[in-house]
Amino acid sequence: MQTRQAHDHADVRIRAAHDDDLQAITDIYNQAVIAGGSTADLVPRTLEQRRQWVDSHHPRDRYPVVVLEDAAGRVVAFGSLSKFHPREAYDGVVELSYYVDEHARHRGYGTAMVAWLLDAARSRGYRIATALIFASNTGSIALMNHFGFERYGFLPQACFDGTRYLDMSYWRLPLQDD
């Protein structure tokens, strides 16, 4: 698919996810579930549940699921473009999501992934990219600001993680010049 430079100048490769990547996708996602604060899932997902999530992205040429390999070829992040809403009138809007392995953070992989996803959204003709981010997730909020997203909504106490309520912030980025 494409090679990008992360901010530490290490070559990374972003490519379509394959069945062989499901374990890494599941492991990275479950790190986020266990840590809390970046997904509303409260219980780690099984390999089959993550397979169903990947398979729900169809057609894949419109809704890609991709992985990021570091210079050593290890999958250290994944991301996707997902349908924003099932009603056809929303087809110009896409939701992006990404997760980075907890041992590979702060190396520019999230930035590389979001850049790839935004390029992919533009090349597919989407008008708007959206992201839903917990308001306490300062890293992801900083990344949205870096790419020029604007917060367009805020839902206080949207999720209860078993010990506390978390606020949700909604972000958007126009992808086409009007």
Side-chain angles (χ1 to χ4, degrees):
M1 274 189 157
Q2 167 174 352
T3 300
R4 285 202 166 272
Q5 292 285 330
H7 80 258
D8 69 351
H9 306 293
D11 284 331
V12 298
R13 180 173 176 234
I14 297 176
R15 60 168 176 77
H18 305 296
D19 282 347
D20 293 349
D21 301 314
L22 281 171
Q23 188 64 58
I25 289 170
T26 302
D27 292 345
I28 292 167
Y29 186 76
N30 284 340
Q31 289 173 357
V33 172
I34 292 165
S38 61
T39 178
D41 279 322
L42 301 177
V43 177
R45 302 285 108 188
T46 66
L47 192 68
E48 185 55 34
Q49 287 169 321
R50 289 305 346 183
R51 180 186 315 279
Q52 291 172 7
W53 174 81
V54 170
D55 290 346
S56 74
H57 291 77
H58 59 81
R60 194 62 60 81
D61 62 331
R62 295 282 300 155
Y63 303 104
V65 177
V66 296
V67 296
L68 183 147
E69 294 177 338
D70 65 10
R74 292 179 300 251
V75 172
V76 295
F78 72 93
S80 67
L81 294 178
S82 301
K83 202 174 233 323
F84 174 74
H85 196 282
R87 295 185 184 132
E88 297 90 6
Y90 291 104
D91 283 353
V93 182
V94 68
E95 179 183 343
L96 66 84
S97 63
Y98 64 95
Y99 293 87
V100 178
D101 185 289
E102 63 190 4
H103 304 294
R105 292 187 185 144
H106 309 290
R107 297 181 190 168
Y109 299 145
T111 302
M113 180 61 75
V114 171
W116 190 97
L117 291 169
L118 290 173
D119 288 346
R122 285 184 182 98
S123 72
R124 287 159 173 77
Y126 291 111
R127 294 179 304 105
I128 299 170
T130 64
L132 282 71
I133 301 171
F134 286 115
S136 57
N137 186 337
T138 56
S140 286
I141 288 173
L143 199 50
M144 294 302 101
N145 284 320
H146 171 80
F147 283 100
F149 279 74
E150 67 173 321
R151 191 179 91 178
Y152 72 90
F154 183 79
L155 183 58
Q157 297 184 345
C159 297
F160 184 70
D161 71 0
T163 60
R164 63 192 167 134
Y165 284 98
L166 297 169
D167 302 333
M168 183 62 66
S169 60
Y170 296 79
W171 296 81
R172 69 181 284 276
L173 179 69
L175 299 174
Q176 300 173 354
D177 295 329
D178 291 329

